[in-house]
Amino acid sequence: MIEATSTIAPSESAVVIRPVDPVMGAEVIGSDLSRPLSDEEFQRYRDALHQYKVLAFRDQDLTKRQFIDFSRRWGSLGEHIMPGAANSEYWEMNILSNAGPDGKPNGRHPDPSAKRWHTDRSYMPRPALATILYGVETPTVGGDTLFANAAMAYEALPADIRERIDHLNAIHWVFHTRATGGGAPATEYELQKAPPVRHPLARPHPATGRKAIYCGCHAWKVDGLPDDEGRALLDYLIGFAVQDRFVYRHKWKRHDLVIWDNRCTSHSATDYDTARELRVLYRTVVEGNGTELATA
């Protein structure tokens, strides 16, 4: 494995960024995100995110405020529009937890819909740049997060499919997300905040220029195609992009902080024993800006 060590400052000289899987992903060892980061340190982590797409900062000890402060370094944080999603103490974060009022496992998964392949907030006019999760408590078995390298998948598509989707947009809609997720329908507030929105099916990354398949369970239809034809294309692209050869499985350790780039990945939660194992995650979402989406 290739290792990179920093020469930025004495406090960072021992930090190692180490690839963990040939598909994508790297772990960051020796960092301390509880303290303010210099511009040089942050730039190093941003460059690493562009290279590896998923970063796992190991052994972090963070308060909610410190977690939010680190998240804000990446950009403005998005509102959590789902009912009950926002944390009452800090609007910028929500807590994904199966802890009951007594602090013990309650047997319920906090977000079953997250077990579908998706890229966060693609149903928003300003979809997510990155998502950040902090593992306050993690199960000993299960609860892994699966990440699909959508850029690698795009490059592996048959040439005729690549050429076709280079000129197509998908329409993403929160109504479709909720209607097909097996849970409660979209609320009036969600529909107000997230009307149907067009995004390229082949999305260029603003930093690397690499195109990636950009769709998931939030994609409703393909603009300009008959519904059946568009649905078949979306289902094909989603299925192609999440083949094992494009997937990195992150096995959580307690106090991992994981950040991933939603512009070139999709992800899916997995099951764990919610009646026996406690899982508590802090979550923030970094908004992209409107200029990041190329016109298809």
Side-chain angles (χ1 to χ4, degrees), residues 182-209:
T187 65
E188 287 300 320
Y189 188 73
E190 286 180 297
L191 295 174
Q192 176 189 351
K193 287 287 186 176
V197 62
R198 296 164 68 249
H199 297 312
L201 268 175
R203 182 178 181 179
H205 194 283
T208 68

PDB file of all heavy atoms in Angstrom, residues 182-209:
ATOM      1  N   GLY A 182     -41.258   2.581   0.794  1.00  0.00           N
ATOM      2  CA  GLY A 182     -41.939   1.720   1.746  1.00  0.00           C
ATOM      3  C   GLY A 182     -42.256   2.376   3.072  1.00  0.00           C
ATOM      4  O   GLY A 182     -42.709   1.710   4.007  1.00  0.00           O
ATOM      5  N   GLY A 183     -42.046   3.698   3.173  1.00  0.00           N
ATOM      6  CA  GLY A 183     -42.336   4.408   4.412  1.00  0.00           C
ATOM      7  C   GLY A 183     -43.435   5.429   4.219  1.00  0.00           C
ATOM      8  O   GLY A 183     -44.304   5.277   3.354  1.00  0.00           O
ATOM      9  N   ALA A 184     -43.384   6.482   5.014  1.00  0.00           N
ATOM     10  CA  ALA A 184     -44.391   7.537   4.938  1.00  0.00           C
ATOM     11  C   ALA A 184     -44.220   8.340   3.652  1.00  0.00           C
ATOM     12  O   ALA A 184     -43.106   8.478   3.138  1.00  0.00           O
ATOM     13  CB  ALA A 184     -44.271   8.457   6.152  1.00  0.00           C
ATOM     14  N   PRO A 185     -45.316   8.860   3.110  1.00  0.00           N
ATOM     15  CA  PRO A 185     -45.202   9.699   1.912  1.00  0.00           C
ATOM     16  C   PRO A 185     -44.496  11.009   2.225  1.00  0.00           C
ATOM     17  O   PRO A 185     -44.353  11.397   3.386  1.00  0.00           O
ATOM     18  CB  PRO A 185     -46.659   9.927   1.508  1.00  0.00           C
ATOM     19  CG  PRO A 185     -47.448   9.749   2.770  1.00  0.00           C
ATOM     20  CD  PRO A 185     -46.716   8.705   3.560  1.00  0.00           C
ATOM     21  N   ALA A 186     -44.045  11.687   1.190  1.00  0.00           N
ATOM     22  CA  ALA A 186     -43.385  12.979   1.359  1.00  0.00           C
ATOM     23  C   ALA A 186     -44.343  13.981   1.997  1.00  0.00           C
ATOM     24  O   ALA A 186     -45.545  14.003   1.695  1.00  0.00           O
ATOM     25  CB  ALA A 186     -42.900  13.503   0.013  1.00  0.00           C
ATOM     26  N   THR A 187     -43.817  14.790   2.880  1.00  0.00           N
ATOM     27  CA  THR A 187     -44.625  15.816   3.531  1.00  0.00           C
ATOM     28  C   THR A 187     -44.751  17.041   2.627  1.00  0.00           C
ATOM     29  O   THR A 187     -43.992  17.216   1.667  1.00  0.00           O
ATOM     30  CB  THR A 187     -43.988  16.247   4.857  1.00  0.00           C
ATOM     31  OG1 THR A 187     -42.728  16.893   4.579  1.00  0.00           O
ATOM     32  CG2 THR A 187     -43.760  15.047   5.763  1.00  0.00           C
ATOM     33  N   GLU A 188     -45.699  17.903   2.948  1.00  0.00           N
ATOM     34  CA  GLU A 188     -45.854  19.143   2.185  1.00  0.00           C
ATOM     35  C   GLU A 188     -44.577  19.989   2.280  1.00  0.00           C
ATOM     36  O   GLU A 188     -44.196  20.647   1.312  1.00  0.00           O
ATOM     37  CB  GLU A 188     -47.054  19.929   2.704  1.00  0.00           C
ATOM     38  CG  GLU A 188     -48.394  19.327   2.337  1.00  0.00           C
ATOM     39  CD  GLU A 188     -48.581  19.236   0.821  1.00  0.00           C
ATOM     40  OE1 GLU A 188     -48.181  20.183   0.108  1.00  0.00           O
ATOM     41  OE2 GLU A 188     -49.108  18.205   0.357  1.00  0.00           O
ATOM     42  N   TYR A 189     -43.911  19.961   3.429  1.00  0.00           N
ATOM     43  CA  TYR A 189     -42.690  20.744   3.587  1.00  0.00           C
ATOM     44  C   TYR A 189     -41.584  20.203   2.681  1.00  0.00           C
ATOM     45  O   TYR A 189     -40.869  20.971   2.026  1.00  0.00           O
ATOM     46  CB  TYR A 189     -42.234  20.716   5.048  1.00  0.00           C
ATOM     47  CG  TYR A 189     -41.076  21.657   5.329  1.00  0.00           C
ATOM     48  CD1 TYR A 189     -41.274  23.034   5.365  1.00  0.00           C
ATOM     49  CD2 TYR A 189     -39.793  21.167   5.556  1.00  0.00           C
ATOM     50  CE1 TYR A 189     -40.228  23.901   5.620  1.00  0.00           C
ATOM     51  CE2 TYR A 189     -38.734  22.030   5.810  1.00  0.00           C
ATOM     52  CZ  TYR A 189     -38.960  23.399   5.844  1.00  0.00           C
ATOM     53  OH  TYR A 189     -37.912  24.259   6.082  1.00  0.00           O
ATOM     54  N   GLU A 190     -41.452  18.888   2.620  1.00  0.00           N
ATOM     55  CA  GLU A 190     -40.456  18.286   1.730  1.00  0.00           C
ATOM     56  C   GLU A 190     -40.759  18.638   0.273  1.00  0.00           C
ATOM     57  O   GLU A 190     -39.840  18.998  -0.491  1.00  0.00           O
ATOM     58  CB  GLU A 190     -40.450  16.767   1.896  1.00  0.00           C
ATOM     59  CG  GLU A 190     -39.803  16.273   3.166  1.00  0.00           C
ATOM     60  CD  GLU A 190     -39.848  14.756   3.257  1.00  0.00           C
ATOM     61  OE1 GLU A 190     -40.950  14.186   3.318  1.00  0.00           O
ATOM     62  OE2 GLU A 190     -38.764  14.156   3.253  1.00  0.00           O
ATOM     63  N   LEU A 191     -42.016  18.554  -0.134  1.00  0.00           N
ATOM     64  CA  LEU A 191     -42.379  18.845  -1.511  1.00  0.00           C
ATOM     65  C   LEU A 191     -42.127  20.306  -1.854  1.00  0.00           C
ATOM     66  O   LEU A 191     -41.750  20.644  -2.978  1.00  0.00           O
ATOM     67  CB  LEU A 191     -43.840  18.483  -1.751  1.00  0.00           C
ATOM     68  CG  LEU A 191     -44.177  16.994  -1.633  1.00  0.00           C
ATOM     69  CD1 LEU A 191     -45.679  16.772  -1.752  1.00  0.00           C
ATOM     70  CD2 LEU A 191     -43.443  16.177  -2.683  1.00  0.00           C
ATOM     71  N   GLN A 192     -42.319  21.178  -0.863  1.00  0.00           N
ATOM     72  CA  GLN A 192     -42.059  22.600  -1.071  1.00  0.00           C
ATOM     73  C   GLN A 192     -40.564  22.861  -1.235  1.00  0.00           C
ATOM     74  O   GLN A 192     -40.139  23.628  -2.105  1.00  0.00           O
ATOM     75  CB  GLN A 192     -42.607  23.407   0.101  1.00  0.00           C
ATOM     76  CG  GLN A 192     -42.293  24.892   0.035  1.00  0.00           C
ATOM     77  CD  GLN A 192     -42.665  25.621   1.315  1.00  0.00           C
ATOM     78  OE1 GLN A 192     -43.321  25.059   2.204  1.00  0.00           O
ATOM     79  NE2 GLN A 192     -42.241  26.861   1.427  1.00  0.00           N
ATOM     80  N   LYS A 193     -39.759  22.224  -0.392  1.00  0.00           N
ATOM     81  CA  LYS A 193     -38.314  22.443  -0.407  1.00  0.00           C
ATOM     82  C   LYS A 193     -37.621  21.714  -1.560  1.00  0.00           C
ATOM     83  O   LYS A 193     -36.526  22.121  -1.975  1.00  0.00           O
ATOM     84  CB  LYS A 193     -37.704  21.965   0.920  1.00  0.00           C
ATOM     85  CG  LYS A 193     -37.993  22.868   2.114  1.00  0.00           C
ATOM     86  CD  LYS A 193     -37.184  24.143   2.012  1.00  0.00           C
ATOM     87  CE  LYS A 193     -37.331  25.005   3.240  1.00  0.00           C
ATOM     88  NZ  LYS A 193     -36.465  26.209   3.182  1.00  0.00           N
ATOM     89  N   ALA A 194     -38.222  20.653  -2.050  1.00  0.00           N
ATOM     90  CA  ALA A 194     -37.545  19.803  -3.033  1.00  0.00           C
ATOM     91  C   ALA A 194     -38.480  19.474  -4.195  1.00  0.00           C
ATOM     92  O   ALA A 194     -38.949  18.343  -4.336  1.00  0.00           O
ATOM     93  CB  ALA A 194     -37.045  18.522  -2.368  1.00  0.00           C
ATOM     94  N   PRO A 195     -38.765  20.452  -5.071  1.00  0.00           N
ATOM     95  CA  PRO A 195     -39.547  20.153  -6.268  1.00  0.00           C
ATOM     96  C   PRO A 195     -38.720  19.315  -7.238  1.00  0.00           C
ATOM     97  O   PRO A 195     -37.510  19.158  -7.060  1.00  0.00           O
ATOM     98  CB  PRO A 195     -39.823  21.549  -6.844  1.00  0.00           C
ATOM     99  CG  PRO A 195     -38.667  22.381  -6.375  1.00  0.00           C
ATOM    100  CD  PRO A 195     -38.318  21.850  -5.014  1.00  0.00           C
ATOM    101  N   PRO A 196     -39.340  18.737  -8.266  1.00  0.00           N
ATOM    102  CA  PRO A 196     -38.567  17.958  -9.239  1.00  0.00           C
ATOM    103  C   PRO A 196     -37.411  18.780  -9.816  1.00  0.00           C
ATOM    104  O   PRO A 196     -37.570  19.968 -10.126  1.00  0.00           O
ATOM    105  CB  PRO A 196     -39.602  17.621 -10.322  1.00  0.00           C
ATOM    106  CG  PRO A 196     -40.919  17.691  -9.615  1.00  0.00           C
ATOM    107  CD  PRO A 196     -40.781  18.773  -8.588  1.00  0.00           C
ATOM    108  N   VAL A 197     -36.244  18.146  -9.950  1.00  0.00           N
ATOM    109  CA  VAL A 197     -35.042  18.857 -10.389  1.00  0.00           C
ATOM    110  C   VAL A 197     -34.258  17.991 -11.368  1.00  0.00           C
ATOM    111  O   VAL A 197     -34.218  16.768 -11.244  1.00  0.00           O
ATOM    112  CB  VAL A 197     -34.173  19.249  -9.169  1.00  0.00           C
ATOM    113  CG1 VAL A 197     -33.707  18.021  -8.411  1.00  0.00           C
ATOM    114  CG2 VAL A 197     -32.999  20.123  -9.557  1.00  0.00           C
ATOM    115  N   ARG A 198     -33.654  18.615 -12.365  1.00  0.00           N
ATOM    116  CA  ARG A 198     -32.898  17.924 -13.407  1.00  0.00           C
ATOM    117  C   ARG A 198     -31.412  17.930 -13.071  1.00  0.00           C
ATOM    118  O   ARG A 198     -30.846  18.972 -12.733  1.00  0.00           O
ATOM    119  CB  ARG A 198     -33.098  18.605 -14.766  1.00  0.00           C
ATOM    120  CG  ARG A 198     -34.496  18.570 -15.293  1.00  0.00           C
ATOM    121  CD  ARG A 198     -34.717  19.564 -16.428  1.00  0.00           C
ATOM    122  NE  ARG A 198     -33.974  19.213 -17.636  1.00  0.00           N
ATOM    123  CZ  ARG A 198     -32.937  19.904 -18.103  1.00  0.00           C
ATOM    124  NH1 ARG A 198     -32.471  20.954 -17.460  1.00  0.00           N
ATOM    125  NH2 ARG A 198     -32.348  19.527 -19.239  1.00  0.00           N
ATOM    126  N   HIS A 199     -30.784  16.765 -13.203  1.00  0.00           N
ATOM    127  CA  HIS A 199     -29.336  16.649 -13.048  1.00  0.00           C
ATOM    128  C   HIS A 199     -28.791  15.743 -14.152  1.00  0.00           C
ATOM    129  O   HIS A 199     -29.464  14.799 -14.578  1.00  0.00           O
ATOM    130  CB  HIS A 199     -28.957  16.053 -11.686  1.00  0.00           C
ATOM    131  CG  HIS A 199     -29.363  16.887 -10.515  1.00  0.00           C
ATOM    132  ND1 HIS A 199     -29.125  18.240 -10.442  1.00  0.00           N
ATOM    133  CD2 HIS A 199     -29.980  16.557  -9.351  1.00  0.00           C
ATOM    134  CE1 HIS A 199     -29.579  18.704  -9.291  1.00  0.00           C
ATOM    135  NE2 HIS A 199     -30.102  17.703  -8.612  1.00  0.00           N
ATOM    136  N   PRO A 200     -27.561  15.975 -14.609  1.00  0.00           N
ATOM    137  CA  PRO A 200     -26.984  15.128 -15.658  1.00  0.00           C
ATOM    138  C   PRO A 200     -26.854  13.681 -15.210  1.00  0.00           C
ATOM    139  O   PRO A 200     -26.498  13.405 -14.062  1.00  0.00           O
ATOM    140  CB  PRO A 200     -25.601  15.738 -15.893  1.00  0.00           C
ATOM    141  CG  PRO A 200     -25.675  17.120 -15.337  1.00  0.00           C
ATOM    142  CD  PRO A 200     -26.651  17.062 -14.199  1.00  0.00           C
ATOM    143  N   LEU A 201     -27.120  12.754 -16.105  1.00  0.00           N
ATOM    144  CA  LEU A 201     -26.901  11.335 -15.810  1.00  0.00           C
ATOM    145  C   LEU A 201     -25.410  11.013 -15.757  1.00  0.00           C
ATOM    146  O   LEU A 201     -24.991  10.112 -15.024  1.00  0.00           O
ATOM    147  CB  LEU A 201     -27.580  10.463 -16.866  1.00  0.00           C
ATOM    148  CG  LEU A 201     -29.013  10.007 -16.575  1.00  0.00           C
ATOM    149  CD1 LEU A 201     -29.571   9.252 -17.768  1.00  0.00           C
ATOM    150  CD2 LEU A 201     -29.074   9.155 -15.328  1.00  0.00           C
ATOM    151  N   ALA A 202     -24.621  11.723 -16.549  1.00  0.00           N
ATOM    152  CA  ALA A 202     -23.161  11.598 -16.514  1.00  0.00           C
ATOM    153  C   ALA A 202     -22.621  12.923 -15.986  1.00  0.00           C
ATOM    154  O   ALA A 202     -22.566  13.918 -16.712  1.00  0.00           O
ATOM    155  CB  ALA A 202     -22.607  11.300 -17.894  1.00  0.00           C
ATOM    156  N   ARG A 203     -22.239  12.921 -14.722  1.00  0.00           N
ATOM    157  CA  ARG A 203     -21.898  14.174 -14.048  1.00  0.00           C
ATOM    158  C   ARG A 203     -20.381  14.370 -13.980  1.00  0.00           C
ATOM    159  O   ARG A 203     -19.677  13.565 -13.370  1.00  0.00           O
ATOM    160  CB  ARG A 203     -22.482  14.173 -12.633  1.00  0.00           C
ATOM    161  CG  ARG A 203     -22.197  15.463 -11.888  1.00  0.00           C
ATOM    162  CD  ARG A 203     -22.811  15.465 -10.507  1.00  0.00           C
ATOM    163  NE  ARG A 203     -22.517  16.729  -9.844  1.00  0.00           N
ATOM    164  CZ  ARG A 203     -22.931  17.050  -8.623  1.00  0.00           C
ATOM    165  NH1 ARG A 203     -23.657  16.186  -7.938  1.00  0.00           N
ATOM    166  NH2 ARG A 203     -22.624  18.212  -8.100  1.00  0.00           N
ATOM    167  N   PRO A 204     -19.847  15.433 -14.567  1.00  0.00           N
ATOM    168  CA  PRO A 204     -18.412  15.697 -14.448  1.00  0.00           C
ATOM    169  C   PRO A 204     -18.071  16.208 -13.042  1.00  0.00           C
ATOM    170  O   PRO A 204     -18.805  17.005 -12.468  1.00  0.00           O
ATOM    171  CB  PRO A 204     -18.152  16.787 -15.496  1.00  0.00           C
ATOM    172  CG  PRO A 204     -19.400  16.870 -16.320  1.00  0.00           C
ATOM    173  CD  PRO A 204     -20.518  16.392 -15.449  1.00  0.00           C
ATOM    174  N   HIS A 205     -16.971  15.743 -12.506  1.00  0.00           N
ATOM    175  CA  HIS A 205     -16.539  16.213 -11.196  1.00  0.00           C
ATOM    176  C   HIS A 205     -15.823  17.552 -11.363  1.00  0.00           C
ATOM    177  O   HIS A 205     -14.945  17.692 -12.216  1.00  0.00           O
ATOM    178  CB  HIS A 205     -15.593  15.191 -10.552  1.00  0.00           C
ATOM    179  CG  HIS A 205     -15.370  15.420  -9.102  1.00  0.00           C
ATOM    180  ND1 HIS A 205     -14.530  16.404  -8.623  1.00  0.00           N
ATOM    181  CD2 HIS A 205     -15.876  14.791  -8.007  1.00  0.00           C
ATOM    182  CE1 HIS A 205     -14.520  16.362  -7.303  1.00  0.00           C
ATOM    183  NE2 HIS A 205     -15.340  15.397  -6.908  1.00  0.00           N
ATOM    184  N   PRO A 206     -16.180  18.557 -10.561  1.00  0.00           N
ATOM    185  CA  PRO A 206     -15.594  19.887 -10.761  1.00  0.00           C
ATOM    186  C   PRO A 206     -14.097  19.958 -10.494  1.00  0.00           C
ATOM    187  O   PRO A 206     -13.422  20.837 -11.028  1.00  0.00           O
ATOM    188  CB  PRO A 206     -16.369  20.765  -9.776  1.00  0.00           C
ATOM    189  CG  PRO A 206     -16.895  19.820  -8.746  1.00  0.00           C
ATOM    190  CD  PRO A 206     -17.171  18.544  -9.468  1.00  0.00           C
ATOM    191  N   ALA A 207     -13.566  19.046  -9.700  1.00  0.00           N
ATOM    192  CA  ALA A 207     -12.133  19.089  -9.381  1.00  0.00           C
ATOM    193  C   ALA A 207     -11.306  18.184 -10.276  1.00  0.00           C
ATOM    194  O   ALA A 207     -10.195  18.543 -10.675  1.00  0.00           O
ATOM    195  CB  ALA A 207     -11.910  18.706  -7.908  1.00  0.00           C
ATOM    196  N   THR A 208     -11.819  17.010 -10.598  1.00  0.00           N
ATOM    197  CA  THR A 208     -11.030  16.030 -11.351  1.00  0.00           C
ATOM    198  C   THR A 208     -11.400  15.958 -12.828  1.00  0.00           C
ATOM    199  O   THR A 208     -10.614  15.477 -13.640  1.00  0.00           O
ATOM    200  CB  THR A 208     -11.201  14.625 -10.747  1.00  0.00           C
ATOM    201  OG1 THR A 208     -12.561  14.174 -10.964  1.00  0.00           O
ATOM    202  CG2 THR A 208     -10.911  14.629  -9.250  1.00  0.00           C
ATOM    203  N   GLY A 209     -12.609  16.406 -13.172  1.00  0.00           N
ATOM    204  CA  GLY A 209     -13.075  16.317 -14.545  1.00  0.00           C
ATOM    205  C   GLY A 209     -13.629  14.964 -14.930  1.00  0.00           C
ATOM    206  O   GLY A 209     -14.218  14.818 -16.011  1.00  0.00           O
TER     207      GLY A 209
END
